[in-house]
Amino acid sequence: MAENEVVSKNFIEQIIEKDLAEGHVDHITTRFPPEPNGYLHIGHAKSILLNYGLAKKYNGKFNLRFDDTNPTKEKTEFVESIKADVEWLGADWEDRLFFASDYFDLMYEGAIKLIKKGKAYVCDLSADEIREYRGTLTEPGKDSPYRNRSVEENLKLFEEMKDGKYADGEKVLRAKIDMASPNINMRDPIIYRVARMTHHNTGDKWCIYPMYDFAHPIEDAIEGVTHSICTLEFEDHRPLYDWVVTELEYPMPPKQIEFAKLYLTNVITGKRYIKKLVEDGIVDGWDDPRLVSISALRRRGFTPESIKMFVELCGVSKANSSVDYAMLEYCIREDLKLKKSRVMAILDPIKLVIDNYPEGQVEYMEADNNQENEELGKRMIPFSRELYIEREDFMEEPPKKYFRLFPGNEVRLMNGYFVKCESFEKDENGNVTVVHCTYDPETRSGSGFTGRKVKGTIHWVSAAEAVKAEVRLYENIVDEEKGVYNEDGSLNLNPNSLTVLKECYIEPSVKDAKAYDSFQFVRNGFFCVDSKDSTEDNLVFNRIVSLKSSFKIEK
Ligand code: ATP
Ligand code: MG
């Protein structure tokens, strides 16, 4: 094996290869196990692509399993959005879509098995008492007075729990492990509780529900998952995971492997906070383009390829760290750079009138769709006497090194002619409204003109033919440097996170653009047609990312 190949493998791949080589498993199965209590975000994308990528790489299987054992917060809306997001990322679960709640019967049987083995007991302590008895990190716990109930009594009481004889919280089923274990998770953890809640899948069939640490290993084992990949906070739960699969005597016990969560600077990933922003109407739903839910990234114009590239660049590690948001931007720029047409769009327009250009005349100028990728072909752009240019491309009194338009200066109109600024008009408030120029017919783009050079090139659109559109510009919704949270724990939101430009003009080649179509607007960035608000008569574009970046990948 080549040396660099070894280096590039992440530690999970190494574990899998060892398990395959030593014959512990003959194929692998991974899973993505979301709890349907919100929309997925960029961190989940990492988990999805990691699990799916491993299954693909080792010719194994990938399951999508809804971890819906906790009925309080789960909603069908979330199930649907999660399926759509996983699919969009390209992770194919084929016919293996599962719901943990379909295993409630098997989990119940598992609990009975533990009771019969003397490995679980019904406990009557209250929640507070259980906490007291549990001990601390430095002190061992105390045995519950109910710990030594007989198997028969436990079987009877557990059945009565299931039959609804006890109030919520009155009794629990606990694993009988070790109240003195240095690992608090092993101090007789609760594995079943009484809770009268209607479940989105099983309705009112159950009034007892399994706890996560008991349910999850069973779900994995039932599905034949070989490598159960989760995030670091479950590391201390692994002994309990192993205990459950061992005591239930599954022939092929799954193996839990932990990796560090993905954290991204200047964004909000916590479901709790996103939910609050949505509920308070501060953002426009779970897919507001300022969020990093997968649906928001999709709406903003990110591609599955860019997210995949990002996740790969992040790598898989055991140490928590935060990744710079600029790296995500780098990935989408890289992905779109050669794939998208580069069109001219004016976001902050002022009129430019070419006084010596014939009134009513329209010329069509040829332009490459993408100068770096010939395959995208060419298009024709109308040119006429009245154009729009960016307000910032004209200055009445230019500073040094300003090479764009100012009285007396000549610039190149991209794909057009040289124009020279002759005069300008202002309104009563002193704002420039029209820039007057003359053009030199000799300087037409593509004519091979070499007579003289100009230092500035600016973009433009023909006023009569341009498509009027709305453009939305985004900044990060929070700023790590200014502090993400206020003193009262609320979010310190960036008031400039959204700028809406209602009167933008774009060259007519975009006029049939549909939801999710994206373009480079020269000098301004990459933009994507908004899937929620854009209509045929009122195109709305989201800026995905600007063109400039300080972010560099060391190669
Ligand atoms: P959140 O804390 O953001 O609400 P969660 O962990 O509660 O997320 P789940 O639906 O339980 O969300 O997670 C499904 C899977 O995604 C789990 O395997 C979990 O470990 C993984 N996951 C969640 N957040 C991240 C993250 N930031 N980076 C990588 N994987 C993650
Ligand atoms: Mg969770």
Side-chain angles (χ1 to χ4, degrees), residues 8 10 58 79 97 153 162 196 210 213 223 232 255 265 348 363 366 374 430 439 448 452 468-469 552:
S8 70
N10 69 50
Y58 297 103
V79 170
L97 171 65
E153 191 183 1
K162 181 191 70 150
R196 282 172 182 74
D213 281 340
E223 292 175 15
L232 279 187
K255 183 184 257 180
T265 60
D348 183 11
E363 267 180 274
E366 188 179 76
E374 268 183 26
Y439 86 118
R452 60 186 182 279
K468 192 172 162 200
K552 290 262 164 6

Short mmCIF file of all heavy atoms in Angstrom, two decimals, residues 8 10 58 79 97 153 162 196 210 213 223 232 255 265 348 363 366 374 430 439 448 452 468-469 552:
data_model
loop_
_atom_site.label_atom_id
_atom_site.label_comp_id
_atom_site.label_asym_id
_atom_site.label_seq_id
_atom_site.Cartn_x
_atom_site.Cartn_y
_atom_site.Cartn_z
N SER A 8 -3.96 9.14 4.33
CA SER A 8 -5.22 9.80 4.02
C SER A 8 -6.43 9.08 4.63
O SER A 8 -7.54 9.57 4.59
CB SER A 8 -5.39 9.91 2.51
OG SER A 8 -5.62 8.62 1.99
N ASN A 10 -9.04 7.95 7.33
CA ASN A 10 -9.41 8.41 8.66
C ASN A 10 -9.49 7.22 9.62
O ASN A 10 -9.47 6.06 9.19
CB ASN A 10 -10.70 9.24 8.62
CG ASN A 10 -11.91 8.41 8.29
OD1 ASN A 10 -12.14 7.37 8.90
ND2 ASN A 10 -12.70 8.86 7.33
N TYR A 58 -16.82 0.57 1.04
CA TYR A 58 -16.56 -0.83 1.39
C TYR A 58 -17.65 -1.76 0.87
O TYR A 58 -17.82 -2.86 1.39
CB TYR A 58 -16.35 -0.98 2.90
CG TYR A 58 -15.13 -0.20 3.34
CD1 TYR A 58 -15.25 1.03 3.99
CD2 TYR A 58 -13.85 -0.67 3.04
CE1 TYR A 58 -14.13 1.76 4.34
CE2 TYR A 58 -12.72 0.05 3.40
CZ TYR A 58 -12.87 1.27 4.05
OH TYR A 58 -11.76 2.01 4.39
N VAL A 79 -40.03 14.36 9.43
CA VAL A 79 -39.68 13.12 8.74
C VAL A 79 -39.54 13.39 7.24
O VAL A 79 -38.57 13.00 6.60
CB VAL A 79 -40.74 12.01 9.01
CG1 VAL A 79 -40.51 10.81 8.10
CG2 VAL A 79 -40.72 11.59 10.47
N LEU A 97 -35.40 2.01 4.66
CA LEU A 97 -35.90 3.14 5.46
C LEU A 97 -36.58 2.54 6.68
O LEU A 97 -37.53 1.76 6.54
CB LEU A 97 -36.91 3.94 4.63
CG LEU A 97 -37.69 5.02 5.38
CD1 LEU A 97 -36.76 6.12 5.87
CD2 LEU A 97 -38.76 5.61 4.49
N GLU A 153 -41.54 -10.91 40.55
CA GLU A 153 -42.13 -9.63 40.90
C GLU A 153 -41.83 -8.57 39.82
O GLU A 153 -42.71 -7.81 39.40
CB GLU A 153 -41.61 -9.16 42.26
CG GLU A 153 -42.39 -7.98 42.80
CD GLU A 153 -41.85 -7.46 44.13
OE1 GLU A 153 -40.85 -7.99 44.63
OE2 GLU A 153 -42.44 -6.49 44.64
N LYS A 162 -46.63 -1.60 31.59
CA LYS A 162 -47.06 -1.59 30.19
C LYS A 162 -48.58 -1.46 30.09
O LYS A 162 -49.11 -0.82 29.18
CB LYS A 162 -46.61 -2.89 29.51
CG LYS A 162 -47.01 -2.93 28.04
CD LYS A 162 -46.81 -4.29 27.40
CE LYS A 162 -47.84 -5.26 27.96
NZ LYS A 162 -48.26 -6.33 27.05
N ARG A 196 -47.40 8.74 29.29
CA ARG A 196 -48.60 8.69 28.45
C ARG A 196 -48.50 9.76 27.37
O ARG A 196 -48.78 10.92 27.60
CB ARG A 196 -49.84 8.87 29.30
CG ARG A 196 -50.18 7.58 30.03
CD ARG A 196 -51.29 7.69 31.04
NE ARG A 196 -51.48 6.40 31.69
CZ ARG A 196 -50.66 5.89 32.60
NH1 ARG A 196 -49.57 6.54 32.96
NH2 ARG A 196 -50.90 4.71 33.14
N PRO A 210 -38.93 3.20 25.75
CA PRO A 210 -37.53 2.88 26.09
C PRO A 210 -36.67 4.14 26.08
O PRO A 210 -36.94 5.07 25.33
CB PRO A 210 -37.11 1.95 24.95
CG PRO A 210 -37.96 2.39 23.79
CD PRO A 210 -39.27 2.83 24.37
N ASP A 213 -30.45 5.15 25.45
CA ASP A 213 -29.27 4.28 25.61
C ASP A 213 -29.61 2.79 25.54
O ASP A 213 -28.74 1.96 25.28
CB ASP A 213 -28.56 4.55 26.94
CG ASP A 213 -27.70 5.80 26.87
OD1 ASP A 213 -27.35 6.22 25.75
OD2 ASP A 213 -27.38 6.35 27.94
N GLU A 223 -31.01 -4.26 12.88
CA GLU A 223 -30.76 -3.97 11.46
C GLU A 223 -29.45 -4.55 10.94
O GLU A 223 -29.13 -4.41 9.76
CB GLU A 223 -30.76 -2.45 11.24
CG GLU A 223 -32.13 -1.84 11.43
CD GLU A 223 -32.11 -0.33 11.34
OE1 GLU A 223 -31.11 0.23 10.85
OE2 GLU A 223 -33.09 0.29 11.77
N LEU A 232 -19.05 12.47 19.71
CA LEU A 232 -18.24 12.26 20.93
C LEU A 232 -18.99 12.22 22.24
O LEU A 232 -18.56 11.55 23.17
CB LEU A 232 -17.19 13.38 21.03
CG LEU A 232 -15.93 13.25 20.21
CD1 LEU A 232 -14.97 14.37 20.60
CD2 LEU A 232 -15.27 11.91 20.43
N LYS A 255 -20.70 -2.27 16.65
CA LYS A 255 -19.62 -1.57 17.36
C LYS A 255 -19.86 -0.06 17.28
O LYS A 255 -20.07 0.46 16.18
CB LYS A 255 -18.32 -1.93 16.64
CG LYS A 255 -17.06 -1.37 17.23
CD LYS A 255 -15.87 -1.73 16.34
CE LYS A 255 -15.06 -2.87 16.94
NZ LYS A 255 -13.90 -3.23 16.10
N THR A 265 -18.09 28.32 12.39
CA THR A 265 -18.11 29.66 12.98
C THR A 265 -19.23 30.50 12.36
O THR A 265 -19.62 30.28 11.21
CB THR A 265 -16.78 30.41 12.73
OG1 THR A 265 -16.61 30.51 11.31
CG2 THR A 265 -15.61 29.70 13.35
N ASP A 348 -26.90 47.93 -8.07
CA ASP A 348 -27.18 49.28 -7.55
C ASP A 348 -27.07 50.23 -8.75
O ASP A 348 -26.02 50.81 -9.00
CB ASP A 348 -26.15 49.61 -6.46
CG ASP A 348 -26.42 50.96 -5.82
OD1 ASP A 348 -27.51 51.54 -6.05
OD2 ASP A 348 -25.53 51.45 -5.10
N GLU A 363 -27.41 46.59 -30.81
CA GLU A 363 -26.39 45.70 -31.38
C GLU A 363 -26.29 44.50 -30.46
O GLU A 363 -26.45 44.64 -29.25
CB GLU A 363 -25.03 46.39 -31.31
CG GLU A 363 -24.62 47.15 -32.50
CD GLU A 363 -23.23 47.75 -32.24
OE1 GLU A 363 -23.17 48.85 -31.67
OE2 GLU A 363 -22.24 47.10 -32.60
N GLU A 366 -21.18 39.49 -28.79
CA GLU A 366 -20.95 38.09 -28.43
C GLU A 366 -20.09 38.00 -27.16
O GLU A 366 -19.14 38.75 -27.00
CB GLU A 366 -20.24 37.39 -29.58
CG GLU A 366 -20.14 35.89 -29.35
CD GLU A 366 -19.45 35.19 -30.51
OE1 GLU A 366 -18.22 35.28 -30.60
OE2 GLU A 366 -20.17 34.56 -31.31
N GLU A 374 -14.85 26.69 -22.09
CA GLU A 374 -15.43 26.88 -23.43
C GLU A 374 -16.71 26.09 -23.64
O GLU A 374 -17.57 26.49 -24.40
CB GLU A 374 -14.42 26.39 -24.48
CG GLU A 374 -13.51 27.46 -25.00
CD GLU A 374 -12.60 26.91 -26.09
OE1 GLU A 374 -13.00 25.92 -26.75
OE2 GLU A 374 -11.51 27.46 -26.25
N GLY A 430 -28.47 65.86 -4.66
CA GLY A 430 -27.04 65.73 -4.94
C GLY A 430 -26.62 64.33 -5.37
O GLY A 430 -25.43 64.04 -5.49
N TYR A 439 -18.93 57.10 -27.09
CA TYR A 439 -18.21 55.85 -27.33
C TYR A 439 -17.37 55.98 -28.59
O TYR A 439 -17.59 56.89 -29.40
CB TYR A 439 -19.19 54.69 -27.43
CG TYR A 439 -19.80 54.45 -28.80
CD1 TYR A 439 -19.58 53.25 -29.48
CD2 TYR A 439 -20.61 55.42 -29.41
CE1 TYR A 439 -20.14 53.02 -30.72
CE2 TYR A 439 -21.17 55.18 -30.66
CZ TYR A 439 -20.93 53.98 -31.31
OH TYR A 439 -21.48 53.75 -32.53
N GLY A 448 -10.34 43.48 -32.38
CA GLY A 448 -8.88 43.46 -32.45
C GLY A 448 -8.28 44.85 -32.29
O GLY A 448 -7.11 45.07 -32.59
N ARG A 452 -5.26 52.05 -28.30
CA ARG A 452 -4.85 52.57 -26.99
C ARG A 452 -5.42 51.66 -25.91
O ARG A 452 -6.26 50.80 -26.20
CB ARG A 452 -5.36 54.01 -26.80
CG ARG A 452 -6.87 54.14 -26.86
CD ARG A 452 -7.31 55.60 -26.80
NE ARG A 452 -8.78 55.68 -26.82
CZ ARG A 452 -9.54 55.60 -27.90
NH1 ARG A 452 -8.99 55.42 -29.10
NH2 ARG A 452 -10.86 55.67 -27.81
N LYS A 468 -35.70 43.14 -14.86
CA LYS A 468 -35.67 43.73 -13.52
C LYS A 468 -35.86 42.60 -12.51
O LYS A 468 -36.70 41.72 -12.70
CB LYS A 468 -36.80 44.74 -13.39
CG LYS A 468 -36.67 45.60 -12.16
CD LYS A 468 -37.70 46.72 -12.19
CE LYS A 468 -37.85 47.28 -10.80
NZ LYS A 468 -39.08 48.00 -10.61
N ALA A 469 -35.07 42.60 -11.46
CA ALA A 469 -35.15 41.51 -10.49
C ALA A 469 -34.88 42.01 -9.09
O ALA A 469 -34.35 43.11 -8.89
CB ALA A 469 -34.14 40.42 -10.85
N LYS A 552 -7.73 30.46 2.05
CA LYS A 552 -6.87 29.71 1.13
C LYS A 552 -6.70 28.28 1.63
O LYS A 552 -6.58 28.04 2.81
CB LYS A 552 -5.47 30.35 1.06
CG LYS A 552 -5.44 31.70 0.36
CD LYS A 552 -4.99 31.54 -1.07
CE LYS A 552 -5.27 32.72 -1.99
NZ LYS A 552 -5.82 33.92 -1.43
#
